[in-house]
Amino acid sequence: MDAGRTCLITGGSRGIGRAIAEELGGEGNDVAVNYRSSEAEAHEVVDAIEDAGGRAIAVQGDVADHAEVEVMCERIHDAFGPVDVLVNNAGITVDKKFEHMTREDWDRVMQVNLGGVFNCTHCLFDDIKKAENGRLVNISSVVGQQGNYGQANYATTKSGLFGFTRTLALELARHDSTANCVAPGFVATDMLETVPERVKEKILDRIPLGRFAEVEDVAGIVRFVASEDSSYMTGQILAVNGGMEW
Ligand code: NAP
């Protein structure tokens, strides 16, 4: 990727976000590592990037809270200047069969997975628009394509990112900036650890490559999407799912 750009990775303290932060930091970019509560983990990511010769800061903020996102973006501006690459990665699950899902279960997942994407993109839209090769990268999921038992709220948010991405691609195109979605399959992170073993075995049977993704499998694709090499690709969904059909 073109070095020396400023990147914000939401939910960069753990899992996929951490791998993306370290990947983009390793390419010589300035990285803001957002977290909500995992402060120690976020600082570990910053240390790893700095140890590799890069520049990074940890920025606390609940992406679901517009005021907190505004303060977080000010901190990034003060440290590194305008943001060139926004990776909307922060996401949560609150899984239940639909008949047992409460309105609170529904709302919290909407607030973080879609509201957080609105808040961060809204605060940084002008930066991405004005950037040379500005990049908006939204982390969706195969679940947004296939649906998934017990995940009506989560699947809805992940499908919602498709319409959001295509629309932002149209609105950013005149500025030579792009918006794309990366839709991972099932990735070995804390999120997957919440899935019962017997369900995980059934999922594995549906993955032609016969394994869950490692976080690096996703981070490498995000590096490409964030780079100048992807300049003529916008409004797309990149499925990184081991060959699952949808
Ligand atoms: P994870 O291991 O649970 O990590 C989630 C990250 O998001 C953490 O850094 C967490 O930080 C942060 N986060 C959660 N709520 C937040 C909030 N309100 N504000 C700011 N940060 C918040 O999850 P993951 O598996 O890496 O998933 C990352 C993304 O990939 C999600 O959007 C997820 O939907 C998507 N995805 C995951 C899989 C999978 O199988 N794992 C598959 C497809 C797509 P704190 O700990 O500080 O809260």
Side-chain angles (χ1 to χ4, degrees):
M1 168 170 164
D2 347 304
R5 309 179 84 204
T6 296
C7 311
L8 166 60
I9 321 303
T10 68
S13 55
R14 294 188 286 114
I16 295 170
R18 176 182 184 142
I20 295 169
E22 292 187 7
E23 183 80 34
L24 297 185
E27 297 273 304
N29 298 290
D30 296 337
V31 179
V33 179
N34 159 254
Y35 67 98
R36 185 180 59 87
S37 53
S38 303
E39 185 177 5
E41 288 89 340
H43 284 286
E44 274 175 29
V45 181
V46 168
D47 289 346
I49 292 171
E50 289 179 343
D51 288 349
R55 294 205 307 168
I57 53 168
V59 282
Q60 197 277 333
D62 182 341
V63 294
D65 184 323
H66 199 280
E68 288 191 21
V69 171
E70 280 177 341
V71 171
M72 174 176 84
C73 291
E74 274 172 31
R75 278 204 58 210
I76 300 168
H77 286 153
D78 289 346
F80 296 139
V83 170
D84 304 285
V85 178
L86 166 61
V87 183
N88 281 314
N89 165 79
I92 59 165
T93 52
V94 181
D95 296 351
K96 271 172 207 171
K97 283 201 282 186
F98 185 70
E99 59 188 309
H100 300 310
M101 193 172 281
T102 65
R103 184 54 198 253
E104 287 71 33
D105 300 332
W106 176 267
D107 286 345
R108 184 60 189 159
V109 175
M110 295 295 145
Q111 283 157 5
V112 175
N113 295 10
L114 283 177
V117 168
F118 174 86
N119 292 339
C120 295
T121 309
H122 198 241
C123 285
L124 296 175
F125 186 81
D126 208 45
D127 287 8
I128 296 168
K129 191 176 96 175
K130 290 181 182 153
E132 203 172 316
N133 280 306
R135 295 283 182 265
L136 173 64
V137 186
N138 298 314
I139 306 300
S140 178
S141 167
V142 70
V143 168
Q145 297 166 313
Q146 297 185 331
N148 202 27
Y149 196 91
Q151 292 197 309
N153 48 3
Y154 179 79
T156 300
T157 62
K158 293 300 173 179
S159 311
L161 288 178
F162 302 149
F164 180 75
T165 301
R166 289 201 67 83
T167 302
L168 269 285
L170 296 175
E171 297 189 11
L172 285 169
R174 72 187 58 184
H175 307 287
D176 279 337
S177 292
T178 68
N180 289 289
C181 244
V182 173
F186 293 86
V187 189
T189 69
D190 295 343
M191 189 177 271
L192 192 64
E193 284 311 304
T194 64
V195 176
E197 276 310 314
R198 64 186 164 74
V199 178
K200 280 203 261 184
E201 281 165 25
K202 281 192 184 161
I203 295 171
L204 263 181
D205 286 342
R206 292 165 40 214
I207 304 175
L209 284 178
R211 65 172 177 88
F212 294 121
E214 298 298 332
V215 289
E216 292 78 12
D217 293 319
V218 180
I221 300 295
V222 173
R223 172 178 24 83
F224 164 70
V225 176
S227 78
E228 202 177 326
D229 291 342
S230 71
S231 290
Y232 200 58
M233 183 185 76
T234 194
Q236 301 306 304
I237 303 168
L238 284 87
V240 189
N241 62 25
M244 295 175 90
E245 285 183 31
W246 55 280

